[in-house]
Amino acid sequence: MTINRRTALIGATASAGLLAAPFARRTNAQAAQFTYKFANNQPLTHPSNIRSAEAAAAILEESGGRVDIQIFPSNQLGADTDVLDQLQAGGVEFFLLSPLILSTLVPKASINGIGFAFPNYDAVWTAMDGDLGAYARGQIKDGGLVVMDTIWDNGFRQITTSTNPIETPADLEGLKIRVPVSPLWTSMFRAFGSAPASINFSDVYSALQTGIVDGQENPLSILKVAKLWEVQKYCSVTNHMWDGFWLLGNRRAWAALPEDLQQIINKHFNAAGMNQRADLAKLNTSLRPELEAKGFTFNEPDPAPFEARLREAGFYAEWKGTYGDEAWAILESAVGRTLA
């Protein structure tokens, strides 16, 4: 077996017992009436897991020990697409997942990920706490899942490479770039002439390390927690897409909960989402100098030529047709401009 950083980390984590047990454990001796699994793909140190653990502890306490939500971080229960299948089947009761990956099940859930749609966070939260978020939640519910009201933050995504900085759309031509397993990501980078490869996050580090791909794209917080400076050199601040996490639930498991327990879970998970947003906002102010100190070289390309290239390639027209006029009108109203 090839020994790389990922296999070494898995071995160390398994030795510590973390792969065999959840991050958040029930602290009382009495068995809970409902013991549910909460899965995500974020490392232990990510604010998503810190706030999830706090929420799980608060739910346990306020429910009088009746609800024990055990957290499994870092894809411990499988890759995102595998866990989504488990969520549908009831093997996992809660799952924190990007809407762009969720789109493999609920196609229109990914509408927030349209390239260069949001200029800043004010526009993001106006949309996602307003009509666009309500539309997405309606689509998710129609797809057979439960979804909490608050979307958590993942961040504006940036492009990193081991070869050269991305200054213009021409720099993306032919680039072997990892993208999550989602049609929208693949479509966007094909429109740039790149060679996108859909790879689950758990395999990103090794794919970069072995040269399967030369680049990837993620928010700055992920560059930190995944230590991608070890396998990447350049970070181009493209802000090409905003991504978040919907907190999803299995419908049958949710229906089994009495209404008072549903309210407790809703309250604490939605509060955790708002706290996680604030955590990410603070983290983002310090990340760039920290990542520069680790070895990343930053540049800030003009986004206008990239958006123009997508328009010329028919990207916006294609996805307007995919989402439909109603959804596209909600998106354009939320961002305050015409995209297609």
Side-chain angles (χ1 to χ4, degrees):
M1 180 179 68
T2 300
I3 301 297
N4 57 28
R5 179 178 176 275
R6 180 171 178 265
T7 54
L9 278 175
I10 289 174
T13 306
S15 297
L18 290 174
L19 287 180
F23 171 44
R25 293 179 177 272
R26 182 168 49 84
T27 56
N28 63 349
Q30 183 178 0
Q33 183 179 356
F34 300 95
T35 300
Y36 285 172
K37 298 183 184 73
F38 178 121
N40 66 76
N41 65 13
Q42 302 299 295
L44 284 172
T45 54
H46 193 278
S48 293
N49 274 312
I50 295 170
R51 293 301 185 177
S52 297
E54 290 177 355
I59 291 165
L60 182 68
E61 180 177 358
E62 187 169 344
S63 70
R66 295 164 66 195
V67 181
D68 174 15
I69 297 176
Q70 301 184 345
I71 298 172
F72 294 81
S74 302
N75 290 119
Q76 287 183 12
L77 300 182
D80 288 338
T81 47
D82 296 330
V83 177
L84 184 56
D85 289 341
Q86 294 177 50
L87 181 73
Q88 290 179 272
V92 171
E93 288 80 18
F94 293 107
F95 188 22
L96 197 63
L97 182 66
S98 161
L100 281 84
I101 299 174
L102 176 60
S103 69
T104 58
L105 172 66
V106 183
K108 295 183 180 181
S110 64
I111 191 167
N112 65 273
I114 288 293
F116 299 95
F118 297 108
N120 52 48
Y121 267 113
D122 286 343
V124 167
W125 300 135
T126 296
M128 300 311 295
D129 291 337
D131 291 343
L132 191 65
Y135 174 82
R137 290 193 300 275
Q139 293 291 309
I140 294 168
K141 291 172 183 175
D142 289 346
L145 297 174
V146 173
V147 58
M148 301 293 120
D149 290 338
T150 297
I151 191 166
W152 300 35
D153 192 16
N154 192 8
F156 282 95
R157 302 180 77 92
Q158 322 302 346
I159 298 172
T160 70
T161 69
S162 60
T163 52
N164 57 275
I166 305 302
E167 295 282 4
T168 70
D171 294 321
L172 288 170
E173 293 177 6
L175 178 69
K176 295 186 298 181
I177 184 169
R178 175 267 175 178
V179 296
V181 182
S182 168
L184 184 59
W185 263 296
T186 302
S187 171
M188 184 171 71
F189 281 97
R190 281 181 178 162
F192 285 127
S194 304
S198 295
I199 300 173
N200 278 299
F201 182 74
S202 56
D203 296 317
V204 169
Y205 189 100
S206 60
L208 294 167
Q209 184 184 47
T210 57
I212 293 174
V213 290
D214 296 318
Q216 64 86 54
E217 50 81 67
N218 256 306
L220 294 184
S221 60
I222 300 300
L223 308 191
K224 176 184 177 180
V225 297
K227 298 186 177 181
L228 292 188
W229 62 79
E230 296 177 352
V231 288
Q232 298 279 267
K233 181 177 181 181
Y234 301 100
C235 180
S236 301
V237 183
T238 51
N239 290 324
H240 56 272
M241 179 189 291
W242 177 82
D243 190 25
F245 300 113
W246 285 118
L247 206 171
L248 309 169
N250 174 269
R251 180 175 286 179
R252 293 182 297 278
W254 185 255
L257 294 165
E259 184 177 353
D260 65 318
L261 296 183
Q262 290 181 355
Q263 292 175 352
I264 290 170
I265 293 170
N266 259 321
K267 177 178 71 174
H268 288 293
F269 276 152
N270 286 324
M274 296 301 292
N275 289 333
Q276 185 261 10
R277 290 183 188 181
D279 293 341
L280 261 290
K282 292 177 182 176
L283 186 60
N284 285 336
T285 62
S286 62
L287 276 175
R288 177 163 172 171
E290 182 176 347
L291 290 169
E292 285 176 327
K294 296 289 187 181
F296 264 117
T297 299
F298 279 79
N299 68 295
E300 297 185 18
D302 180 2
F306 293 85
E307 184 177 338
R309 176 65 64 86
L310 291 180
R311 189 169 285 108
E312 292 165 6
F315 171 80
Y316 294 115
E318 173 192 351
W319 284 93
K320 180 179 180 180
T322 299
Y323 291 123
D325 290 342
E326 178 192 7
W328 199 263
I330 294 171
L331 171 65
E332 291 189 331
S333 176
V335 300
R337 62 195 181 97
T338 301
L339 294 167

